Amino acid sequence: MSEIHNLSVAELSSALRNKSLGAVEVATHFLNRIEKDELGSFLSHNPELTLKAAQSSQERINRDNAGPLEGVPIAHKDVFVTKDFPSTAGSKMLEGYRSSFDATVVQKLAQAGCVSLGKLNCDEFAMGSSNENSAYCAVHNPWDITKIPGGSSGGSAAAVSARLTPAATGTDTGGSIRQPASFCGITGIKPTYGRASRYGMIAYASSLDQAGPMAKDAMDCALLLSAMCGPDLDRDSTSLDIPAEDFTKQLNQSIKGLRIGLPNEFFGEGLDSQVKLALEQAKSVLKDLGAEFIPISLPKTELSIPVYYIIAPAEASSNLSRFDGVRYGHRAKEYSDLMEMYKKSRAQGFGSEVKKRIMTGAYVLSHGYYDAYYLQAQKIRRMIAEDFKVAFNQCDLIMGPVAPSTAWGLGEKTADPLSSYLADIFTLPASLAGLPAMSVPCGMSTLGNSSLLPLPIGMQLIGNYVEESKLLNVAHQYQLQTHWHTMSPIEPGGLK
Ligand code: GLN
């Protein structure tokens, strides 16, 4: 058997079930790796609690009362609230905050048997594409520690890639599962909006936020997603009333005759040549499996950037108003009156990217600008969803890049934040339309990397509403033919 940390969720789950591995042994192995982590991917962990949970898991296995993921370790992005660990959303505003309950997704994974290893670093309130907006520390990409891991679920992606955990949760508002998965060479899926409950997810932009799994391959994502989804109508008003599904059941379908759409707008100027090449190669693998490729158009692709960067800040400005030092969050120590207390608390608690977005959001919602910005953005958002509707009359699913390039250098885009907004271009459309989309490792590139270390490339698959299983099946069929998802950084982040 390979080393414990190289096993997939599926492999770990069967080894635990047939007792060739013990839950405490597995948890201890990952905890030891976390202790040596130099990537900055974990914000909190607690070996005592984890080992206790592993022990209970083992007892359930011994009693033949095991859940589908019994004993499999997982770590959660720090925007999910948890009872056992602090929940900070990567912000000073929530430093040391303890929730009295677990987010639904966390609870569901625990009920399926997952053992929590702790909480993962992320951009503050999930705002960012590089994890550099975390108030605690930046995260390093395990393939090249001078590079960003992507964001906002950068800690999740780096930790899975460096095999500090076999799986992680992430959240995706405009690409935060797919883009870091792509930059770190792992697989991640954002389900249809409403599939996974948002209850207990610290809100960024509520009409876009969605939880999803990040793991080694499509099989693992299917296993985890099956446990995460399902209606939560009493606690999340946008939860879809569709029963939980076993996504692993559809993983062995032939893809012969499947029509895959290639949007012109995803393959134009600005796409790195090696990303393009990797996608060409992925296309030929899928063609050999019998898929057909059809050129399609998503004409409003470019507009998804201004639309997203109006709608998401607008919702954020409202969601983050609760952090005022009274209801939630940090309270300034010295102030002379109530107004000064609010001002100082928010000025001290929030980082600069969050402040920028709150201001943008308040501006586009303000009287006199609402019609010009927010309302227009809502109208174009509808048109973007319509474009997908037209596309899905011509094809079964859509393929394209996750991002225009591989991971960029730490600090490289700090002086020009707009360039990092622009790099979200291929993930934003599916988010605005609420469609399921995933990232699948499909190549490596050294292009533009002065250290000459190869960096992972991700292929994006976008499906029609609630067709997660179609995406996962195509990804799984592709992964049966390729090895990209099996690669891991040689010695992640200098870890021995
Ligand atoms: N990069 C995008 C942003 O900065 C998306 C983040 C996300 O999906 N949470 O908002």
Side-chain angles (χ1 to χ4, degrees):
M1 191 160 38
S2 0
E3 284 216 74
I4 292 177
H5 56 267
N6 284 323
L7 298 175
S8 66
V9 168
E11 289 165 335
L12 277 169
S13 159
S14 63
L16 285 156
R17 208 167 277 267
N18 69 30
K19 302 204 177 95
S20 51
L21 287 175
V24 174
E25 176 189 7
V26 170
T28 308
H29 184 87
F30 283 104
L31 286 168
N32 287 339
R33 289 178 71 76
I34 294 167
E35 286 299 333
K36 293 185 226 148
D37 174 31
E38 288 178 357
L39 299 168
S41 54
F42 273 78
L43 286 180
S44 58
H45 72 293
N46 182 333
E48 207 180 304
L49 280 177
T50 298
L51 292 174
K52 210 167 123 205
Q55 184 58 47
S56 315
S57 238
Q58 189 59 51
E59 283 159 19
R60 286 191 291 274
I61 293 171
N62 297 345
R63 288 199 309 268
D64 271 338
N65 186 23
L69 294 168
E70 201 63 73
V72 173
I74 194 160
H76 298 292
K77 182 177 183 180
D78 211 17
V79 297
F80 292 94
V81 299
T82 46
K83 274 189 306 211
D84 288 347
F85 303 92
S87 304
T88 70
S91 181
K92 282 267 179 265
M93 186 53 102
L94 283 171
E95 192 164 16
Y97 172 70
R98 289 276 178 168
S99 165
S100 56
F101 66 96
D102 280 332
T104 302
V105 159
V106 170
Q107 194 183 44
K108 277 176 168 284
L109 285 164
Q111 273 159 6
C114 282
V115 171
S116 180
L117 291 169
K119 304 294 286 292
L120 296 160
N121 206 345
C122 57
D123 282 304
E124 186 174 2
F125 289 103
M127 297 177 192
S129 308
S130 67
N131 216 122
E132 291 166 297
N133 296 338
S134 163
Y136 298 96
C137 63
V139 177
H140 299 264
N141 189 314
W143 293 88
D144 176 349
I145 55 166
T146 67
K147 300 283 186 261
I148 56 137
S152 63
S153 313
S156 306
V160 172
S161 168
R163 313 302 297 154
L164 305 177
T165 176
T169 50
T171 63
D172 193 309
T173 304
S176 280
I177 288 176
R178 291 161 283 162
Q179 184 255 27
S182 164
F183 285 2
C184 289
I186 62 163
T187 308
I189 181 166
K190 171 196 99 73
T192 307
Y193 180 78
R195 268 281 204 187
S197 171
R198 287 184 298 108
Y199 185 71
M201 248 167 74
I202 297 170
Y204 162 19
S206 310
S207 76
L208 294 152
D209 296 343
Q210 198 41 210
M214 301 170 80
K216 197 170 177 175
D217 57 29
M219 168 64 86
D220 284 2
C221 283
L223 280 162
L224 295 155
L225 192 65
S226 306
M228 290 167 77
C229 290
D232 193 19
L233 306 175
D234 294 341
R235 300 192 294 183
D236 173 358
S237 60
T238 56
S239 172
L240 287 175
D241 194 5
I242 300 175
E245 197 175 318
D246 181 353
F247 295 107
T248 60
K249 285 225 170 98
Q250 303 292 326
L251 288 189
N252 287 309
Q253 310 292 316
S254 158
I255 63 165
K256 207 163 183 308
L258 191 88
R259 297 163 308 160
I260 302 181
L262 299 171
N264 300 329
E265 296 78 4
F266 280 36
F267 291 90
E269 250 178 81
L271 185 64
D272 273 6
S273 57
Q274 292 202 21
V275 175
K276 207 173 195 163
L277 184 68
L279 287 168
E280 278 303 322
Q281 287 164 350
K283 211 172 109 184
S284 67
V285 172
L286 293 168
K287 241 187 197 154
D288 288 346
L289 290 170
E292 292 164 22
F293 284 88
I294 298 165
I296 58 159
S297 176
L298 294 171
K300 303 271 182 309
T301 298
E302 235 177 299
L303 287 177
S304 64
I305 300 171
V307 167
Y308 173 87
Y309 280 100
I310 288 172
I311 292 176
E315 294 185 19
S317 74
S318 159
N319 276 327
L320 270 54
S321 64
R322 76 192 65 176
F323 301 105
D324 57 6
V326 179
R327 286 171 297 171
Y328 288 99
H330 164 82
R331 182 183 295 189
K333 292 223 160 37
E334 285 167 25
Y335 46 86
S336 51
D337 57 23
L338 181 67
M339 216 27 118
E340 198 186 33
M341 191 270 286
Y342 284 149
K343 283 186 186 165
K344 279 193 168 170
S345 301
R346 286 170 69 83
Q348 292 166 5
F350 290 134
S352 63
E353 183 64 27
V354 174
K355 285 178 187 154
K356 193 160 76 191
R357 296 199 191 194
I358 291 174
M359 285 191 270
T360 312
Y363 178 83
V364 298
L365 289 176
S366 62
H367 183 71
Y369 294 107
Y370 183 91
D371 289 358
Y373 294 104
Y374 186 70
L375 212 59
Q376 285 300 102
Q378 290 289 23
K379 286 183 188 161
I380 301 169
R381 180 180 189 177
R382 165 62 49 206
M383 291 178 192
I384 290 169
E386 290 295 326
D387 284 350
F388 277 108
K389 206 164 159 194
V390 173
F392 283 121
N393 284 329
Q394 300 162 262
C395 63
D396 302 302
L397 62 89
I398 294 169
M399 172 191 168
V402 172
S405 70
T406 52
W408 56 85
L410 282 155
E412 194 181 314
K413 293 194 196 266
T414 317
D416 181 16
L418 197 61
S419 67
S420 97
Y421 295 176
L422 295 178
D424 289 339
I425 184 158
F426 303 131
T427 49
L428 298 178
S431 294
L432 289 164
L435 292 165
M438 72 184 291
S439 174
V440 183
C442 73
M444 301 291 288
S445 166
T446 52
L447 188 75
N449 193 5
S450 52
S451 57
L452 290 179
L453 288 168
L455 293 169
I457 299 171
M459 139 170 85
Q460 184 176 202
L461 300 173
I462 305 173
N464 210 343
Y465 297 107
V466 301
E467 293 196 342
E468 287 80 6
S469 53
K470 207 179 265 177
L471 293 184
L472 290 161
N473 178 51
V474 173
H476 181 62
Q477 296 306 314
Y478 172 79
Q479 290 181 333
L480 289 175
Q481 306 299 321
T482 54
H483 66 284
W484 304 112
H485 62 288
T486 64
M487 295 174 71
S488 51
I490 304 163
E491 277 310 337
L495 202 76
K496 285 268 179 221

PDB file of all heavy atoms in Angstrom, residues 77 125-129 151-152 171-177 204 209 308-309 312 353 357 420-421 424 428, ligand 1:
ATOM      1  N   LYS A  77     -12.522  24.894   5.217  1.00  0.00           N
ATOM      2  CA  LYS A  77     -12.202  26.306   4.980  1.00  0.00           C
ATOM      3  C   LYS A  77     -12.746  27.110   6.159  1.00  0.00           C
ATOM      4  O   LYS A  77     -13.845  26.823   6.652  1.00  0.00           O
ATOM      5  CB  LYS A  77     -12.854  26.754   3.670  1.00  0.00           C
ATOM      6  CG  LYS A  77     -12.554  28.195   3.274  1.00  0.00           C
ATOM      7  CD  LYS A  77     -13.173  28.541   1.927  1.00  0.00           C
ATOM      8  CE  LYS A  77     -12.825  29.942   1.475  1.00  0.00           C
ATOM      9  NZ  LYS A  77     -13.436  30.276   0.175  1.00  0.00           N
ATOM     10  N   PHE A 125     -12.900  36.898   4.399  1.00  0.00           N
ATOM     11  CA  PHE A 125     -14.304  36.787   3.982  1.00  0.00           C
ATOM     12  C   PHE A 125     -14.434  36.270   2.545  1.00  0.00           C
ATOM     13  O   PHE A 125     -15.359  36.644   1.822  1.00  0.00           O
ATOM     14  CB  PHE A 125     -15.059  38.118   4.171  1.00  0.00           C
ATOM     15  CG  PHE A 125     -15.288  38.439   5.620  1.00  0.00           C
ATOM     16  CD1 PHE A 125     -14.514  39.384   6.274  1.00  0.00           C
ATOM     17  CD2 PHE A 125     -16.256  37.757   6.345  1.00  0.00           C
ATOM     18  CE1 PHE A 125     -14.700  39.652   7.633  1.00  0.00           C
ATOM     19  CE2 PHE A 125     -16.455  38.022   7.704  1.00  0.00           C
ATOM     20  CZ  PHE A 125     -15.677  38.969   8.338  1.00  0.00           C
ATOM     21  N   ALA A 126     -13.471  35.449   2.136  1.00  0.00           N
ATOM     22  CA  ALA A 126     -13.468  34.807   0.806  1.00  0.00           C
ATOM     23  C   ALA A 126     -13.343  35.798  -0.343  1.00  0.00           C
ATOM     24  O   ALA A 126     -13.745  35.528  -1.463  1.00  0.00           O
ATOM     25  CB  ALA A 126     -14.714  33.924   0.628  1.00  0.00           C
ATOM     26  N   MET A 127     -12.771  36.966  -0.044  1.00  0.00           N
ATOM     27  CA  MET A 127     -12.601  37.976  -1.093  1.00  0.00           C
ATOM     28  C   MET A 127     -11.169  37.957  -1.601  1.00  0.00           C
ATOM     29  O   MET A 127     -10.264  38.479  -0.944  1.00  0.00           O
ATOM     30  CB  MET A 127     -12.926  39.362  -0.545  1.00  0.00           C
ATOM     31  CG  MET A 127     -14.364  39.481  -0.105  1.00  0.00           C
ATOM     32  SD  MET A 127     -14.660  41.097   0.608  1.00  0.00           S
ATOM     33  CE  MET A 127     -16.269  40.818   1.333  1.00  0.00           C
ATOM     34  N   GLY A 128     -10.971  37.358  -2.758  1.00  0.00           N
ATOM     35  CA  GLY A 128      -9.633  37.347  -3.325  1.00  0.00           C
ATOM     36  C   GLY A 128      -9.401  36.162  -4.223  1.00  0.00           C
ATOM     37  O   GLY A 128     -10.235  35.249  -4.311  1.00  0.00           O
ATOM     38  N   SER A 129      -8.271  36.162  -4.891  1.00  0.00           N
ATOM     39  CA  SER A 129      -7.928  35.095  -5.826  1.00  0.00           C
ATOM     40  C   SER A 129      -6.544  34.553  -5.548  1.00  0.00           C
ATOM     41  O   SER A 129      -5.985  33.822  -6.358  1.00  0.00           O
ATOM     42  CB  SER A 129      -7.937  35.638  -7.258  1.00  0.00           C
ATOM     43  OG  SER A 129      -9.131  36.300  -7.531  1.00  0.00           O
ATOM     44  N   GLY A 151      -7.037  31.480  -4.798  1.00  0.00           N
ATOM     45  CA  GLY A 151      -7.929  31.850  -3.699  1.00  0.00           C
ATOM     46  C   GLY A 151      -9.364  31.930  -4.179  1.00  0.00           C
ATOM     47  O   GLY A 151      -9.629  31.771  -5.358  1.00  0.00           O
ATOM     48  N   SER A 152     -10.286  32.077  -3.292  1.00  0.00           N
ATOM     49  CA  SER A 152     -10.014  32.334  -1.901  1.00  0.00           C
ATOM     50  C   SER A 152      -9.769  31.071  -1.073  1.00  0.00           C
ATOM     51  O   SER A 152      -9.253  31.161   0.049  1.00  0.00           O
ATOM     52  CB  SER A 152     -11.178  33.115  -1.268  1.00  0.00           C
ATOM     53  OG  SER A 152     -12.353  32.338  -1.298  1.00  0.00           O
ATOM     54  N   THR A 171     -15.333  27.103  -0.546  1.00  0.00           N
ATOM     55  CA  THR A 171     -16.536  27.805  -0.991  1.00  0.00           C
ATOM     56  C   THR A 171     -16.181  28.552  -2.260  1.00  0.00           C
ATOM     57  O   THR A 171     -15.022  28.922  -2.476  1.00  0.00           O
ATOM     58  CB  THR A 171     -17.058  28.820   0.057  1.00  0.00           C
ATOM     59  OG1 THR A 171     -16.062  29.836   0.246  1.00  0.00           O
ATOM     60  CG2 THR A 171     -17.375  28.141   1.383  1.00  0.00           C
ATOM     61  N   ASP A 172     -17.183  28.723  -3.106  1.00  0.00           N
ATOM     62  CA  ASP A 172     -16.966  29.314  -4.421  1.00  0.00           C
ATOM     63  C   ASP A 172     -18.056  30.347  -4.661  1.00  0.00           C
ATOM     64  O   ASP A 172     -19.231  30.018  -4.708  1.00  0.00           O
ATOM     65  CB  ASP A 172     -17.041  28.179  -5.458  1.00  0.00           C
ATOM     66  CG  ASP A 172     -16.541  28.574  -6.838  1.00  0.00           C
ATOM     67  OD1 ASP A 172     -17.004  29.614  -7.334  1.00  0.00           O
ATOM     68  OD2 ASP A 172     -15.717  27.825  -7.420  1.00  0.00           O
ATOM     69  N   THR A 173     -17.643  31.605  -4.759  1.00  0.00           N
ATOM     70  CA  THR A 173     -18.580  32.698  -5.013  1.00  0.00           C
ATOM     71  C   THR A 173     -18.406  33.153  -6.463  1.00  0.00           C
ATOM     72  O   THR A 173     -19.364  33.451  -7.154  1.00  0.00           O
ATOM     73  CB  THR A 173     -18.301  33.858  -4.024  1.00  0.00           C
ATOM     74  OG1 THR A 173     -18.381  33.335  -2.700  1.00  0.00           O
ATOM     75  CG2 THR A 173     -19.275  35.001  -4.186  1.00  0.00           C
ATOM     76  N   GLY A 174     -17.127  33.157  -6.880  1.00  0.00           N
ATOM     77  CA  GLY A 174     -16.821  33.534  -8.261  1.00  0.00           C
ATOM     78  C   GLY A 174     -15.684  32.698  -8.816  1.00  0.00           C
ATOM     79  O   GLY A 174     -15.061  33.074  -9.807  1.00  0.00           O
ATOM     80  N   GLY A 175     -15.370  31.597  -8.155  1.00  0.00           N
ATOM     81  CA  GLY A 175     -14.288  30.743  -8.655  1.00  0.00           C
ATOM     82  C   GLY A 175     -13.395  30.182  -7.572  1.00  0.00           C
ATOM     83  O   GLY A 175     -12.402  29.499  -7.846  1.00  0.00           O
ATOM     84  N   SER A 176     -13.722  30.451  -6.325  1.00  0.00           N
ATOM     85  CA  SER A 176     -12.809  30.135  -5.218  1.00  0.00           C
ATOM     86  C   SER A 176     -12.590  28.668  -4.891  1.00  0.00           C
ATOM     87  O   SER A 176     -11.739  28.359  -4.058  1.00  0.00           O
ATOM     88  CB  SER A 176     -13.267  30.848  -3.948  1.00  0.00           C
ATOM     89  OG  SER A 176     -12.852  32.172  -4.012  1.00  0.00           O
ATOM     90  N   ILE A 177     -13.332  27.766  -5.520  1.00  0.00           N
ATOM     91  CA  ILE A 177     -12.977  26.346  -5.418  1.00  0.00           C
ATOM     92  C   ILE A 177     -12.167  25.979  -6.656  1.00  0.00           C
ATOM     93  O   ILE A 177     -11.095  25.373  -6.572  1.00  0.00           O
ATOM     94  CB  ILE A 177     -14.242  25.450  -5.321  1.00  0.00           C
ATOM     95  CG1 ILE A 177     -14.900  25.611  -3.951  1.00  0.00           C
ATOM     96  CG2 ILE A 177     -13.896  23.983  -5.601  1.00  0.00           C
ATOM     97  CD1 ILE A 177     -16.200  24.849  -3.767  1.00  0.00           C
ATOM     98  N   TYR A 204     -20.483  35.928   2.134  1.00  0.00           N
ATOM     99  CA  TYR A 204     -19.796  36.961   1.350  1.00  0.00           C
ATOM    100  C   TYR A 204     -20.851  37.571   0.429  1.00  0.00           C
ATOM    101  O   TYR A 204     -21.356  38.663   0.686  1.00  0.00           O
ATOM    102  CB  TYR A 204     -18.614  36.318   0.621  1.00  0.00           C
ATOM    103  CG  TYR A 204     -18.032  37.076  -0.552  1.00  0.00           C
ATOM    104  CD1 TYR A 204     -18.247  38.434  -0.737  1.00  0.00           C
ATOM    105  CD2 TYR A 204     -17.220  36.418  -1.479  1.00  0.00           C
ATOM    106  CE1 TYR A 204     -17.688  39.107  -1.826  1.00  0.00           C
ATOM    107  CE2 TYR A 204     -16.651  37.085  -2.552  1.00  0.00           C
ATOM    108  CZ  TYR A 204     -16.905  38.432  -2.733  1.00  0.00           C
ATOM    109  OH  TYR A 204     -16.354  39.075  -3.801  1.00  0.00           O
ATOM    110  N   ASP A 209     -22.648  32.506  -3.243  1.00  0.00           N
ATOM    111  CA  ASP A 209     -21.861  31.597  -2.388  1.00  0.00           C
ATOM    112  C   ASP A 209     -22.349  30.150  -2.500  1.00  0.00           C
ATOM    113  O   ASP A 209     -23.551  29.893  -2.376  1.00  0.00           O
ATOM    114  CB  ASP A 209     -21.993  31.980  -0.903  1.00  0.00           C
ATOM    115  CG  ASP A 209     -21.423  33.356  -0.568  1.00  0.00           C
ATOM    116  OD1 ASP A 209     -20.653  33.892  -1.371  1.00  0.00           O
ATOM    117  OD2 ASP A 209     -21.751  33.877   0.525  1.00  0.00           O
ATOM    118  N   TYR A 308     -20.038  40.889 -11.879  1.00  0.00           N
ATOM    119  CA  TYR A 308     -19.694  40.234 -10.606  1.00  0.00           C
ATOM    120  C   TYR A 308     -19.151  41.254  -9.608  1.00  0.00           C
ATOM    121  O   TYR A 308     -19.528  41.254  -8.432  1.00  0.00           O
ATOM    122  CB  TYR A 308     -18.666  39.126 -10.849  1.00  0.00           C
ATOM    123  CG  TYR A 308     -18.135  38.517  -9.569  1.00  0.00           C
ATOM    124  CD1 TYR A 308     -18.798  37.467  -8.950  1.00  0.00           C
ATOM    125  CD2 TYR A 308     -16.963  38.998  -8.970  1.00  0.00           C
ATOM    126  CE1 TYR A 308     -18.321  36.911  -7.765  1.00  0.00           C
ATOM    127  CE2 TYR A 308     -16.478  38.454  -7.791  1.00  0.00           C
ATOM    128  CZ  TYR A 308     -17.159  37.407  -7.198  1.00  0.00           C
ATOM    129  OH  TYR A 308     -16.679  36.871  -6.023  1.00  0.00           O
ATOM    130  N   TYR A 309     -18.265  42.132 -10.080  1.00  0.00           N
ATOM    131  CA  TYR A 309     -17.633  43.073  -9.152  1.00  0.00           C
ATOM    132  C   TYR A 309     -18.548  44.261  -8.795  1.00  0.00           C
ATOM    133  O   TYR A 309     -18.118  45.206  -8.147  1.00  0.00           O
ATOM    134  CB  TYR A 309     -16.244  43.494  -9.654  1.00  0.00           C
ATOM    135  CG  TYR A 309     -15.232  42.394  -9.324  1.00  0.00           C
ATOM    136  CD1 TYR A 309     -14.820  41.476 -10.290  1.00  0.00           C
ATOM    137  CD2 TYR A 309     -14.768  42.224  -8.019  1.00  0.00           C
ATOM    138  CE1 TYR A 309     -13.946  40.431  -9.960  1.00  0.00           C
ATOM    139  CE2 TYR A 309     -13.893  41.194  -7.685  1.00  0.00           C
ATOM    140  CZ  TYR A 309     -13.492  40.311  -8.659  1.00  0.00           C
ATOM    141  OH  TYR A 309     -12.628  39.278  -8.320  1.00  0.00           O
ATOM    142  N   ALA A 312     -21.345  41.230  -6.254  1.00  0.00           N
ATOM    143  CA  ALA A 312     -20.731  40.614  -5.068  1.00  0.00           C
ATOM    144  C   ALA A 312     -20.423  41.667  -3.982  1.00  0.00           C
ATOM    145  O   ALA A 312     -20.811  41.486  -2.826  1.00  0.00           O
ATOM    146  CB  ALA A 312     -19.499  39.806  -5.452  1.00  0.00           C
ATOM    147  N   GLU A 353      -8.814  45.015   1.372  1.00  0.00           N
ATOM    148  CA  GLU A 353      -9.639  44.534   0.260  1.00  0.00           C
ATOM    149  C   GLU A 353     -11.114  44.511   0.675  1.00  0.00           C
ATOM    150  O   GLU A 353     -12.002  44.896  -0.093  1.00  0.00           O
ATOM    151  CB  GLU A 353      -9.180  43.134  -0.182  1.00  0.00           C
ATOM    152  CG  GLU A 353      -9.919  42.560  -1.389  1.00  0.00           C
ATOM    153  CD  GLU A 353      -9.721  43.348  -2.679  1.00  0.00           C
ATOM    154  OE1 GLU A 353      -8.673  44.008  -2.830  1.00  0.00           O
ATOM    155  OE2 GLU A 353     -10.625  43.317  -3.547  1.00  0.00           O
ATOM    156  N   ARG A 357     -14.279  46.673  -0.901  1.00  0.00           N
ATOM    157  CA  ARG A 357     -15.519  46.078  -1.443  1.00  0.00           C
ATOM    158  C   ARG A 357     -16.750  46.607  -0.716  1.00  0.00           C
ATOM    159  O   ARG A 357     -17.805  46.775  -1.314  1.00  0.00           O
ATOM    160  CB  ARG A 357     -15.427  44.566  -1.387  1.00  0.00           C
ATOM    161  CG  ARG A 357     -14.298  44.081  -2.289  1.00  0.00           C
ATOM    162  CD  ARG A 357     -14.430  42.644  -2.638  1.00  0.00           C
ATOM    163  NE  ARG A 357     -13.198  42.183  -3.276  1.00  0.00           N
ATOM    164  CZ  ARG A 357     -13.098  41.047  -3.928  1.00  0.00           C
ATOM    165  NH1 ARG A 357     -14.127  40.257  -4.044  1.00  0.00           N
ATOM    166  NH2 ARG A 357     -11.954  40.693  -4.484  1.00  0.00           N
ATOM    167  N   SER A 420      -5.893  40.975 -11.082  1.00  0.00           N
ATOM    168  CA  SER A 420      -6.347  39.720 -10.480  1.00  0.00           C
ATOM    169  C   SER A 420      -7.867  39.573 -10.643  1.00  0.00           C
ATOM    170  O   SER A 420      -8.372  38.461 -10.781  1.00  0.00           O
ATOM    171  CB  SER A 420      -5.859  39.574  -9.041  1.00  0.00           C
ATOM    172  OG  SER A 420      -6.809  39.967  -8.119  1.00  0.00           O
ATOM    173  N   TYR A 421      -8.604  40.686 -10.679  1.00  0.00           N
ATOM    174  CA  TYR A 421     -10.050  40.599 -10.980  1.00  0.00           C
ATOM    175  C   TYR A 421     -10.241  40.040 -12.398  1.00  0.00           C
ATOM    176  O   TYR A 421     -11.116  39.217 -12.644  1.00  0.00           O
ATOM    177  CB  TYR A 421     -10.742  41.966 -10.904  1.00  0.00           C
ATOM    178  CG  TYR A 421     -10.793  42.626  -9.529  1.00  0.00           C
ATOM    179  CD1 TYR A 421     -11.328  43.910  -9.392  1.00  0.00           C
ATOM    180  CD2 TYR A 421     -10.346  41.983  -8.383  1.00  0.00           C
ATOM    181  CE1 TYR A 421     -11.396  44.538  -8.152  1.00  0.00           C
ATOM    182  CE2 TYR A 421     -10.416  42.607  -7.136  1.00  0.00           C
ATOM    183  CZ  TYR A 421     -10.935  43.885  -7.037  1.00  0.00           C
ATOM    184  OH  TYR A 421     -10.998  44.509  -5.805  1.00  0.00           O
ATOM    185  N   ASP A 424     -10.294  36.324 -13.192  1.00  0.00           N
ATOM    186  CA  ASP A 424     -11.469  35.531 -12.793  1.00  0.00           C
ATOM    187  C   ASP A 424     -12.419  35.283 -13.967  1.00  0.00           C
ATOM    188  O   ASP A 424     -13.488  34.689 -13.789  1.00  0.00           O
ATOM    189  CB  ASP A 424     -12.283  36.275 -11.713  1.00  0.00           C
ATOM    190  CG  ASP A 424     -11.585  36.317 -10.365  1.00  0.00           C
ATOM    191  OD1 ASP A 424     -10.709  35.477 -10.131  1.00  0.00           O
ATOM    192  OD2 ASP A 424     -11.943  37.182  -9.551  1.00  0.00           O
ATOM    193  N   LEU A 428     -16.262  33.270 -13.443  1.00  0.00           N
ATOM    194  CA  LEU A 428     -17.411  34.095 -13.040  1.00  0.00           C
ATOM    195  C   LEU A 428     -18.719  33.742 -13.759  1.00  0.00           C
ATOM    196  O   LEU A 428     -19.784  33.721 -13.119  1.00  0.00           O
ATOM    197  CB  LEU A 428     -17.093  35.586 -13.231  1.00  0.00           C
ATOM    198  CG  LEU A 428     -15.924  36.120 -12.401  1.00  0.00           C
ATOM    199  CD1 LEU A 428     -15.680  37.596 -12.714  1.00  0.00           C
ATOM    200  CD2 LEU A 428     -16.187  35.950 -10.911  1.00  0.00           C
TER     201      LEU A 428
HETATM  202  N1  GLN B   1     -11.788  35.987  -6.870  1.00  0.00           N
HETATM  203  C1  GLN B   1     -13.164  36.304  -6.649  1.00  0.00           C
HETATM  204  C2  GLN B   1     -13.277  37.424  -5.645  1.00  0.00           C
HETATM  205  O1  GLN B   1     -12.282  37.962  -5.289  1.00  0.00           O
HETATM  206  C3  GLN B   1     -13.925  35.077  -6.210  1.00  0.00           C
HETATM  207  C4  GLN B   1     -13.827  34.773  -4.762  1.00  0.00           C
HETATM  208  C5  GLN B   1     -14.709  33.648  -4.337  1.00  0.00           C
HETATM  209  O2  GLN B   1     -15.188  32.831  -5.147  1.00  0.00           O
HETATM  210  N2  GLN B   1     -14.970  33.577  -3.046  1.00  0.00           N
HETATM  211  O3  GLN B   1     -14.303  37.799  -5.207  1.00  0.00           O
END
